[in-house]
Amino acid sequence: MRRTLAATITVAAICLSLAACDPASTGASKASATAGSPTPDDAAEGRTATLPHLVGKGLQSAQDAAQTAGFYGLDSHDALGRGRMQILDRDWKVCTQKPGPGNAATSVTVDLGAVKLSEDCPSADQGAAEQPKATDTMPNLRGKSVKVARQALESGASVTVKDVTGQDRFVVMESNWKVCTQSPVAGAKYSGQPVTFGATKFDEDCN
């Protein structure tokens, strides 16, 4: 009797061990545990929903509204085309949205063009426009932010930025400075030679 009971216990233990190691059994348990709790990616797959009107909202509020509606792919850019990063979303407001309000696939990336709260929205989204690139000739970079102007050149370009006001200020935040002069000039042959930008802050006039 004792041997029979011991054998029964041993067989039961083996069966339990095999069930615990069975991948199919484990997967079924996980599926059962997560059923009814889809992730945002699961919810977005193959679904559509109504994207709300987001223009005019604060950037953070707009992003929250989009997520509430089921859109989790969010992006934003500087609608003034200066290449600034939206680090504190509450300090920015939405000027444009793509796609526009209405029915859309929830898997789409919602791109919001924004400006700072103290700024006016531009008549056209300058950040969505294709930015100039230097090829064999220099593009016209006057009026562009120094950051965008630098991005027009190859990554290894030698660039000098000078304060055209004569105050010899350091150009620290390049997205806050605009190009007033450039050398080589627009249309000149460009083959990797050093480039010089004369710049001033956006709220100042070029001399």
Side-chain angles (χ1 to χ4, degrees):
M1 175 66 74
R2 288 180 180 177
R3 290 180 180 178
T4 304
L5 179 60
T8 303
I9 293 174
T10 301
V11 171
I14 292 172
C15 290
L16 287 174
S17 176
L18 291 174
C21 296
D22 183 359
S25 175
T26 304
S29 298
K30 289 182 178 179
S32 176
T34 57
S37 303
T39 64
D41 290 340
D42 294 334
E45 187 175 355
R47 293 186 55 189
T48 61
T50 301
L51 180 65
H53 181 81
L54 303 173
V55 173
K57 294 181 180 292
L59 181 56
Q60 183 63 64
S61 296
Q63 292 171 338
D64 292 344
Q67 289 185 339
T68 298
F71 297 87
Y72 295 93
L74 303 175
D75 198 4
S76 64
H77 64 269
D78 183 354
L80 291 179
R82 290 165 53 178
R84 295 172 294 179
M85 303 295 292
Q86 293 72 60
I87 298 175
L88 297 175
D89 294 339
R90 289 176 177 81
D91 291 343
W92 295 72
K93 61 185 177 184
V94 177
C95 297
T96 64
Q97 70 177 85
K98 184 178 181 180
N103 199 46
T106 54
S107 60
V108 72
T109 296
V110 180
D111 187 21
L112 304 174
V115 298
K116 289 192 173 182
L117 297 178
S118 60
E119 299 169 339
D120 294 328
C121 289
S123 56
D125 188 343
Q126 299 173 33
E130 184 176 356
Q131 297 302 321
K133 290 290 182 183
T135 53
D136 295 332
T137 58
M138 278 291 289
N140 182 9
L141 299 171
R142 285 175 54 89
K144 298 291 185 182
S145 74
V146 174
K147 179 179 179 179
V148 170
R150 187 185 292 274
Q151 291 173 344
L153 310 173
E154 72 274 13
S155 60
S158 298
V159 180
T160 300
V161 184
K162 297 181 178 180
D163 179 0
V164 296
T165 67
Q167 301 178 58
D168 292 327
R169 294 171 294 181
F170 290 104
V171 181
V172 179
M173 190 69 71
E174 292 189 340
S175 59
N176 289 335
W177 290 69
K178 63 184 176 184
V179 175
C180 295
T181 63
Q182 64 178 80
S183 176
V185 297
K189 183 178 180 179
Y190 177 70
S191 57
Q193 65 266 42
V195 174
T196 300
F197 294 127
T200 190
K201 292 186 176 182
F202 268 94
D203 58 355
E204 301 170 342
D205 294 328
C206 290
N207 292 334

